[in-house]
Amino acid sequence: MAHTNGYLNNDSDNETFTIPYVESRYTNGNNDVLSFNTKAFVEFLGYFISEGSLNPAKSGKYCISISQKKKNILNKILSCVDKLNLQYNQRTDKRDNTTEITIYHKSLWMYLKDNFGLYDKDRHISREIINLSNQSLEILLNALIDGDGTRDKREGRTSMSYYSSSEELLDNVQEICIKLGYKAKILYASKIGINSKSPVHRVMISNSRQKYRYCNDTMISLEEYDGIMYCYNVPNHLFITRRNGLIAIQGNTANRNTGDNMTSEMADRIRAISKIIEMFFNNFIIKELLMEGGYDPVLNPDQVVEFRFNDNDVDVEIKKQVHAVYKYEHNAITEDEMRTELGMDPVQDSEREKLFVELITRQTLKLEAQLDAQVASSSNKSGETNNKEKNQGGSNNKTKNSLSSISIGLVKDEIDALETRVNNYINISKDKNLQILNNALKLEILDCNKKIRYIISRNNNVNPSLIDKLDIELNRLQSNCYLSCLGKDITNDNDFKTIKYEIEKSILNYKDEIIKLLL
């Protein structure tokens, strides 16, 4: 395949496009013209692809012809050829008033054959042309439509259509439209009931530039499926599909190695620039301000104030934070040192009671201690013990799923807290006219389930199958909440009341089923 030998300067009005030279024994002044104005050349390509043909004469001359009947389009073609500085002939057929423009140019003939196809059924657009700037592609598309397309002339309409018997050419045109921000759909002849030896297909183009059409919960439905699931991974994480002539662009999953390879070099550059800015800001601005205010950060480290950027690589930042916590847990650093590495101030005594260890961990330990004391007291009063092995004549009267009343109470509290959080979220969404997100509900439910599992795991006499049953109820609750919101508009008062009622009912049913499992 032929390739361009020139280069493109997108900032220049005199941008040129160069084609390879092919020696010819005929010299008519055309074959030495190899560089063309890019805008004029892509316009010429549009006219040629739609209305042109390649005719190798028996004499060895290589003829390029373009035919057109419409006067206004013909004038555009003639003006375009003039801009290319090519010699040409024109002849008008008096029978149907069609004008044929002929150009003899072997180098151009060979380039067109290799990059756009010799016959109509093989017509396509070369990759090097598709990869040109959007400005050039816009010119190309308009020339294509002028040749083998139509424009909706009705008032207020801006749609266009392009016709061709070459499916590959339609693929190329659709790709160009997508790059230009247009919506484009291919209608194949067989799909609309047209059957012939040379069917003509159609690209429907809407040039109302719409950034995207997104999918929301109302467009998604649950379906039973038993089979293999695939998760594609492509370098730029945008997976493009086409179905029934329509294009869809999906955000694609990236694995850790792919993400690291793509971002590590960029992250290092940003980090280096950030360090330079930090150094300048701290030494020449903040330090000067402190000195002018009567502070001395040089002699008094306690008076040091520094500006720092957060790490631009989230994964690296998380690793640093996890490592700081690890060092604190293994007594390598103090709590204040750990919080400093996390970029946080030391905990004030007045705020310490709000920490998780005080609110949850310490209270849980107290409840467990009270429970152990109650069990010990009951055993002492009855004079019996449950610690004997079966073969020693003892028996354990506790059932497999028998939890303490305190543990069951904690589970109830967690589910009640879930109901409160979900209810608050729905009310806030209503007040702010925001759509209820299924993922937000799912996160709340998963958090509640995680705490319930922790409470249950503290009991040694729980049947392992109970966890599986909990997961079943969890999935049922998530599905019910999703279906409660499906197809409903929260801004509508009736839908809002229905959503609240159905979700509250689902959580209450969830609570009843969980308590039954625990008793």
Side-chain angles (χ1 to χ4, degrees):
M1 178 179 284
H3 297 282
T4 61
N5 294 327
Y7 64 92
L8 296 174
N9 179 3
N10 291 328
D11 296 327
S12 173
D13 292 334
N14 296 320
E15 172 185 301
T16 59
F17 193 94
T18 303
I19 64 173
Y21 173 77
V22 180
E23 187 176 356
S24 174
R25 56 179 171 168
Y26 292 96
T27 57
N28 58 359
N30 269 343
N31 206 51
D32 293 332
V33 181
L34 301 174
S35 292
F36 307 98
N37 176 276
T38 303
K39 294 179 182 179
F41 186 66
V42 294
E43 183 182 359
F44 170 81
L45 292 177
Y47 297 136
F48 166 76
I49 293 169
S50 293
E51 305 285 25
S53 61
L54 300 174
N55 307 303
K58 294 181 179 180
S59 60
K61 294 182 179 180
Y62 290 78
C63 177
I64 304 162
S65 66
I66 300 176
S67 299
Q68 182 57 239
K69 182 184 296 185
K70 297 177 182 178
K71 190 70 174 178
N72 60 326
I73 304 299
L74 175 62
N75 291 335
K76 287 184 179 182
I77 297 173
L78 292 173
S79 175
C80 176
V81 176
D82 287 336
K83 293 176 185 177
L84 298 177
N85 296 320
L86 292 176
Q87 298 178 17
Y88 61 89
N89 300 315
Q90 68 179 89
R91 181 180 63 85
T92 301
D93 190 335
K94 295 181 179 180
R95 291 172 298 178
D96 60 0
N97 205 31
T98 299
T99 298
E100 181 184 31
I101 302 169
T102 55
I103 303 169
Y104 293 92
H105 192 315
K106 184 176 181 179
S107 296
L108 181 58
W109 192 98
M110 294 296 295
Y111 177 81
L112 294 175
K113 179 183 74 71
D114 291 340
N115 288 275
F116 303 93
L118 181 60
Y119 303 106
D120 288 345
K121 62 183 179 63
D122 303 321
R123 198 70 88 209
H124 62 277
I125 303 174
S126 68
R127 182 54 48 184
E128 63 186 5
I129 299 299
I130 294 176
N131 290 335
L132 291 176
S133 67
N134 280 11
Q135 185 181 26
S136 297
L137 294 180
E138 191 84 58
I139 295 171
L140 174 63
L141 179 62
N142 281 317
L144 288 168
I145 298 296
D146 283 341
D148 273 341
T150 58
R151 292 181 173 85
D152 194 334
K153 297 180 180 179
R154 290 175 293 179
E155 185 177 354
R157 301 295 184 93
T158 57
S159 61
M160 302 177 290
S161 294
Y162 184 75
Y163 303 86
S164 175
S165 60
S166 169
E167 293 188 16
E168 184 177 1
L169 176 57
L170 294 185
D171 291 343
N172 299 148
V173 172
Q174 185 180 41
E175 180 179 347
I176 290 172
C177 291
I178 298 300
K179 286 186 173 183
L180 293 174
Y182 300 148
K183 292 182 290 185
K185 177 182 180 180
I186 298 179
L187 289 179
Y188 297 102
S190 58
K191 295 291 184 180
I192 56 178
I194 299 176
N195 297 306
S196 65
K197 294 182 179 180
S198 300
V200 176
H201 313 290
R202 175 186 179 189
V203 182
M204 297 178 61
I205 305 167
S206 173
N207 61 356
S208 57
R209 283 191 170 96
Q210 181 176 334
K211 289 185 178 179
Y212 56 84
R213 183 179 180 185
Y214 61 90
C215 293
N216 55 40
D217 287 349
T218 62
M219 301 177 183
I220 302 172
S221 60
L222 294 175
E223 292 200 17
E224 294 292 334
Y225 176 74
D226 182 14
I228 300 174
M229 299 290 291
Y230 295 93
C231 184
Y232 293 97
N233 184 31
V234 294
N236 63 355
H237 309 306
L238 291 177
F239 186 62
I240 302 174
T241 58
R242 185 175 67 182
R243 184 168 181 254
N244 296 330
L246 287 171
I247 295 290
I249 303 176
Q250 291 80 213
N252 181 239
T253 304
N255 60 39
R256 185 62 174 272
N257 291 333
T258 305
D260 287 347
N261 292 336
M262 289 180 62
T263 61
S264 60
E265 183 177 353
M266 181 65 72
D268 290 341
R269 290 183 180 180
I270 296 174
R271 197 175 291 115
I273 295 173
S274 299
K275 290 295 182 185
I276 294 173
I277 296 174
E278 285 178 3
M279 181 182 66
F280 178 84
F281 206 79
N282 291 327
N283 290 333
F284 298 104
I285 297 179
I286 295 180
K287 188 178 290 185
E288 293 293 332
L289 291 174
L290 291 173
M291 298 290 283
E292 290 177 5
Y295 298 96
D296 191 349
V298 178
L299 299 178
N300 298 307
D302 293 340
Q303 297 177 358
V304 171
V305 177
E306 291 185 339
F307 169 78
R308 292 180 183 173
F309 284 104
N310 291 329
D311 198 297
N312 59 294
D313 190 328
V314 177
D315 288 337
V316 172
E317 185 68 19
I318 291 174
K319 288 177 181 177
K320 290 180 180 178
Q321 294 173 354
V322 171
H323 186 59
V325 174
Y326 177 84
K327 289 191 292 184
Y328 171 67
E329 290 177 340
H330 292 79
N331 302 310
I333 57 176
T334 65
E335 181 189 80
D336 289 348
E337 289 172 334
M338 175 195 69
R339 293 182 66 85
T340 299
E341 291 190 19
L342 294 176
M344 306 169 69
D345 295 329
V347 179
Q348 302 296 324
D349 292 338
S350 60
E351 298 291 322
R352 187 168 293 280
E353 63 183 15
K354 298 178 182 179
L355 294 177
F356 182 85
V357 66
E358 299 293 337
L359 290 174
I360 305 299
T361 306
R362 200 178 299 280
Q363 295 301 322
T364 302
L365 292 174
K366 286 181 181 179
L367 290 173
E368 290 177 351
Q370 294 173 4
L371 175 63
D372 292 341
Q374 291 176 5
V375 173
S377 176
S378 300
S379 299
N380 290 335
K381 287 179 181 179
S382 63
E384 298 177 356
T385 177
N386 290 320
N387 293 330
K388 290 183 180 181
E389 296 291 336
K390 232 179 210 182
N391 59 9
Q392 292 177 331
S395 63
N396 193 331
N397 295 324
K398 285 192 175 183
T399 60
K400 273 292 182 180
N401 286 342
S402 178
L403 267 71
S404 66
S405 58
I406 294 178
S407 295
I408 294 176
L410 290 173
V411 170
K412 290 180 178 178
D413 290 342
E414 287 299 334
I415 299 177
D416 289 339
L418 168 66
E419 182 179 2
T420 301
R421 292 196 302 272
V422 170
N423 192 51
N424 289 339
Y425 170 69
I426 294 174
N427 289 332
I428 291 172
S429 299
K430 167 69 172 176
D431 293 339
K432 295 184 178 181
N433 289 329
L434 298 175
Q435 193 69 26
I436 295 177
L437 299 179
N438 184 50
N439 282 341
L441 295 176
K442 186 181 293 185
L443 286 174
E444 294 290 356
I445 296 171
L446 288 173
D447 182 62
C448 176
N449 182 261
K450 180 180 178 182
K451 292 176 181 177
I452 292 175
R453 292 179 67 158
Y454 173 76
I455 294 170
I456 293 174
S457 68
R458 305 291 294 178
N459 293 265
N460 296 326
N461 56 329
V462 174
N463 192 323
S465 64
L466 176 61
I467 301 299
D468 295 333
K469 296 177 181 178
L470 287 176
D471 290 339
I472 293 174
E473 295 302 325
L474 165 73
N475 293 331
R476 181 178 289 116
L477 175 59
Q478 288 178 340
S479 177
N480 289 338
C481 288
Y482 167 73
L483 294 174
S484 298
C485 301
L486 188 63
K488 297 182 179 67
D489 182 7
I490 195 171
T491 60
N492 181 283
D493 289 338
N494 291 331
D495 284 355
F496 172 70
K497 292 177 182 178
T498 302
I499 290 172
K500 286 196 67 174
Y501 171 76
E502 291 182 356
I503 290 181
E504 288 176 1
K505 181 181 177 182
S506 297
I507 294 177
L508 288 175
N509 291 338
Y510 171 71
K511 181 178 179 180
D512 292 341
E513 293 300 324
I514 295 299
I515 299 305
K516 288 179 184 177
L517 292 173
L518 300 182
L519 292 176

